[in-house]
Amino acid sequence: MPDVLDIALLTSWIDRTAAVLEREKAYLTELDAPIGDSDHGMNMARGFAAANAKLGATPPGDVGALFKTVGMALISTVGGAAGPLYGTLFVQAGVKSAGKASLDLAGWRDCLAAGLAGIVQRGKAEPGDKTMVDALTPAVAALDGGGLSAALAASAEAAEQGMKATIPLVARKGRASYLGERSAGHQDPGATSSWMLLKALAETAA
Amino acid sequence: MPTSATPTPSTVAPSTVALVLVSHSRPLAEAVAKLARQMAGDKLTIACAAGIGPDGSELGTDGTAIAAAIEQADNPAGTVVLMDLGSALISADVALDLIDPDVKARVTLSAAPFVEGAVVAAARAAAGGNRAEVAAEATAALMPKSVQLGEESAAVPAAAPEAGAADAVAEATIRDPAGLHARPAAQIVALASTFDASVTLADITRKTGPASAGSMVALAGLGVRTNDRLAIAARGREARQAVAAIAELIGGFVGTGDAPPPPQRALQAGRAIPVVPGVVMGPLVRLQRATPQVPTWPSDDPPGEITRLKRAVTVAERSIGASAVGNTSGDIFVVQLALLRDPAIIDRAKSLISTERHNAAFAWQQAIDEAAQHYRALDDPYLKAREADVRDVGLVVLRALLNTRPAVLPSGPPAILLVDELAPSEAALLDPARVLGVIDARGGPTSHAAIMLRAVGIPAVAGAAAMVPAKGAQAAGLDGSTGEVWFDPDAEQCERIAQRHAVWKSGQSRAPIGGRLKTPDGHEVELWANVSGLADARAARLGGAVGIGLLRTEMLFLERAEAPSEAEQVTLLREIFEVFTDHPIVVRALDAGGDKPIPYLAMEPEPNPFLGLRGIRLLLARTELFETQLRAILVAGKDHDVRIMLPMIATNDELVRARACLDRAHRALKQAGSPHLWPVPFGIMIEVPAAALVAEQLATQCDFFSIGTNDLTQYVLAAERGHPGLGGYADTAHPAVLRLIAEVVEAGRVAGRSVSVCGESAADPALAGLLVGLGVTRLSMGAASLAGVWKALEKLPFNALESAARQALTAESAAAARAALTRLT
């Protein structure tokens, strides 16, 4: 059980995430089909594969550089709204962690909180709008101390709860909002990929 | 870095705005670029950032590619970015964070529809438009499509009939403590209609709008409160002028005296809402209204119904316009006229006629109901109260459509009027000599009817529904300052009311008897009245004014489609003159200008209207208009003691030319054999510092002076009165202004010309004493101020006033000058 998130661990997190998203892209696309444009799984898999490849090609010198590389890769390769939004999350996290060799729990919490704030600012979404914000907001709140591994597990679990709570919601942002009431009853794909990301981190650091 | 950015490799005119097209689809962006290029040729830089994946063949947007496209397109004139949808917006937003901040400062992300926006933006950019203009044009690009498809008439009241911003934009802040209430809104609507442009307003602070500046109803929907920032946008040939003029108008709203809703006092049980102070008692009469019965039959002739409706609206305009002329509270009628022309109402009614086949009356009633609901739903109590104005306007048109007569007051002795929601159009008809007081079952202190009752001094209470006995009462009493109401009072109550009435009357009748007061040491001062209409004139007469020191004639000209005819002016002037039969009346020629524009004069908007074509300058530029007015005054003035006064005189030459106009008017009447007043005293306003300084020269060319201290003060101190940032800077008590007044008084004395003051300083008890001390013997003011000024002056000996004035002339500041007088009291 690691005490901190260092570059090696974070790099393997991205690698794991890329694998998870590749495996789950059909599932994400299935979630996206009724309320979106059926591209979320494909887009996310493509984006994280590109991010993973970038990290492999030019290993970053610090956590900030790592996050920034991932963010830029997502911005330029995902294609859908998830690209600039997750890209913003990582770029903002990179700003918070610039020059750091590793992150302790508080450091990670700062990064994720900054990333979430960036997403909220960029996407103008609030909790309850049926978006990734609904998974990320409780995930940040759950990072409130204890051991790193346990906290990350709790954070992933909170994200899962938030994700499931999007099912009855009516979408107010993104393409799903075009459906209005009909968007209720479906789990939000963005919240789902957010959970997958955090779950992969918890598993990597377990 | 993906390869999806494809700026056009063409020569770029140095100052041409570039476009960046952001789309999920590479082929879509390229096709749109081609369409746009048809409008703009090759001179324009159009870069595409579209698609994703190694060759951009997949659907999606790439923030880094957008950033690259913007940087490649960048030039000193800047870049407008158009996006298709969804992630395109977010990616473009990300791109702004990735580019050089200097470049970012030259980029506008446009909310325009992608295809339409790109095409018109390209055309505008190629034509040399700047970045704001290109962006505005793009944003408004949906409008032609909406119009083509007939969606325009489907606009609901709160929405702007036209989409978005336009050729010119500006911001202004609302300073009026009441927010953007009905009368300023009506002024905006009136001003906007004078430009060849479609104008919208949005509330930046509240994030509401845009709403059409052509619609009062739509403007009300913005919910503007004080200190809100407004965005003004206009489209069309005169967009720039319209935006500038409206921004200036808005900047000048600094509160209108009666506008801020007085805090509603908690009502005591058994009391009504106090509206206009005064204690009165008398027989009770009810306002009898013929309620028009609105037929429900469908019409098989929609065009005919629309014509009927238009005709009825014209009739209503005329009747409201006529009330406006006879009234101080004229701008209330401006509100009503604006509502009458409000597209949110009239277009809605027309569309109900054409689509639902309603008859004109039914359609109009429904449109009025909807607009009234709209006002009722607002949370601003002052705007909420405008529901009554909407309904009143509705009624006036319905009466015209259905040929029903307006409410009539039963004949008989002076009485107390019981009414259920007095309408402004009804309040205008009330004669203070016949109506002792008003008990309104509904209504409130901020209704326009209440403002009008206040202006003519009819004691009133409102919200008395709970007190009105089911069985008809014969007599009633009311106390307009406490809200007490008595129906069929018993002997004991009658005695109490009579006592209070006596106390109230004695407080009132300290008002000048005959308007001539003598200071304790025997110096005589005359109190005259400033009048803008018939109701004003009556109030001034009742208040005991010696004469009308300033009869403003602007109301005859405002809010009309064309200039009033000579005959029309004669009729309206005569009504007012008759109130002051055998008393002197000073009529001021039309004082209009850029600050008080008159639509049919097609005045060019001016950047600085107070220093532009206004007052006598405008009259001499439109001598036909001027001479028509002069003839009307001479004809109406026959058998009256009428004098003519010119506004804004600054030079001798103006006076000479104006006199030539007067002579021509006289000769024309003589040739036509029309009986008229001749000769006529011809005087001038002294309100330009230049006139004050050469008063002794001007005195040789005219018969009297009247000092307009409002403008004189502004011009001397180069400061607007009531400017929010300048506090009381423009104070007439400033020694510089007082010295000019003293010079004018001296010039008048030497030449034997009377000198009066008709600015607001004459109505200010603290300043009136200084003016008298400077040698002014005539003060002209609103009827409401007569009693207060009388009270302030009657106890002060003239020699003390004179010495206070002498000190004031050499005081170091306005405050010190005022203090010289305060020491006396």
Side-chain angles (χ1 to χ4, degrees), chain A residues 39 42-43 46 72 75-82 84-85 88 121-124 175 178, chain B residues 2 24 52-53 58-65 85-87 90-91 93-95 97-98:
Chain A
D39 62 358
M42 188 84 83
N43 288 347
R46 178 175 57 218
M72 292 307 290
I75 286 170
S76 64
T77 56
V78 170
L85 292 173
T88 297
Q121 198 259 331
R122 184 85 73 201
K124 318 271 189 296
R175 209 171 287 199
Y178 299 172
Chain B
H24 283 63
I52 198 149
E58 290 176 56
L59 296 182
T61 56
D62 173 352
T64 58
L85 74 171
S87 70
I90 303 177
S91 291
D93 194 39
V94 167
D97 288 348
L98 302 177

Side-chain angles (χ1 to χ4, degrees), chain B residues 256-556:
Chain B
T256 49
D258 55 65
Q264 194 119 341
R265 268 185 262 163
L267 282 187
Q268 286 189 32
R271 290 194 180 184
I273 304 167
V275 173
V276 184
V279 186
V280 284
M281 179 169 59
L284 186 67
V285 297
R286 282 168 182 74
L287 188 71
Q288 289 164 356
R289 289 183 171 124
T291 318
Q293 291 297 312
V294 179
T296 55
W297 44 262
S299 164
D300 52 8
D301 176 21
E305 291 298 317
I306 288 176
T307 310
R308 285 185 59 220
L309 178 60
K310 281 190 192 156
R311 224 177 278 145
V313 168
T314 313
V315 171
E317 272 180 16
R318 245 184 259 136
S319 83
I320 292 175
S323 310
V325 171
N327 217 292
T328 355
S329 322
D331 39 355
I332 291 168
F333 295 101
V334 175
V335 171
Q336 295 209 330
L337 286 170
L339 284 171
L340 206 47
R341 294 164 192 166
D342 199 314
I345 300 174
I346 183 84
D347 289 353
R348 173 71 180 143
K350 285 184 198 163
S351 111
L352 285 169
I353 292 174
S354 9
T355 60
E356 308 286 325
R357 308 206 141 240
H358 287 336
N359 68 68
F362 193 76
W364 175 257
Q365 183 61 56
Q366 188 168 331
I368 286 288
D369 281 344
E370 288 171 13
Q373 286 295 344
H374 179 73
Y375 272 99
R376 186 195 296 219
L378 299 173
D379 55 3
D380 179 328
Y382 189 81
L383 283 174
K384 230 182 174 62
R386 301 288 75 79
E387 184 194 347
D389 290 289
V390 173
R391 296 210 179 274
D392 190 26
V393 162
L395 213 54
V396 177
V397 173
L398 271 190
R399 279 195 210 110
L401 268 174
L402 303 169
N403 292 318
T404 34
R405 285 163 42 77
V408 283
L409 200 59
S411 53
I416 290 186
L417 184 67
L418 177 62
V419 55
D420 186 11
E421 190 126 51
L422 186 68
S425 66
E426 293 165 342
L429 299 172
L430 299 185
D431 179 351
R434 295 226 24 235
V435 179
L436 297 171
V438 171
I439 300 173
D440 195 335
R442 289 196 281 164
T446 59
S447 76
H448 279 161
I451 292 169
M452 292 169 49
L453 291 176
R454 211 168 284 141
V456 293
I458 298 180
V461 297
M467 277 143 275
V468 178
K471 260 179 55 190
Q474 299 300 310
L478 70 92
D479 185 335
S481 47
T482 63
E484 283 163 286
V485 181
W486 302 267
F487 289 99
D488 285 332
D490 57 29
E492 192 193 325
Q493 286 173 324
C494 280
E495 197 178 321
R496 224 169 49 226
I497 300 168
Q499 275 171 10
R500 276 204 227 177
H501 174 79
V503 171
W504 171 63
K505 262 292 167 199
S506 72
Q508 273 234 314
S509 64
R510 297 308 306 156
I513 313 298
R516 291 190 169 81
L517 79 87
K518 279 211 164 75
T519 59
D521 50 349
H523 182 81
E524 189 172 286
V525 181
E526 294 177 357
L527 304 190
W528 296 44
N530 295 347
V531 165
S532 310
L534 192 54
D536 255 1
R538 288 192 185 123
R541 187 83 181 84
L542 288 173
V546 168
I548 298 180
L550 168 62
L551 175 59
R552 301 187 182 92
T553 55
E554 288 72 60
M555 288 311 294
L556 275 65

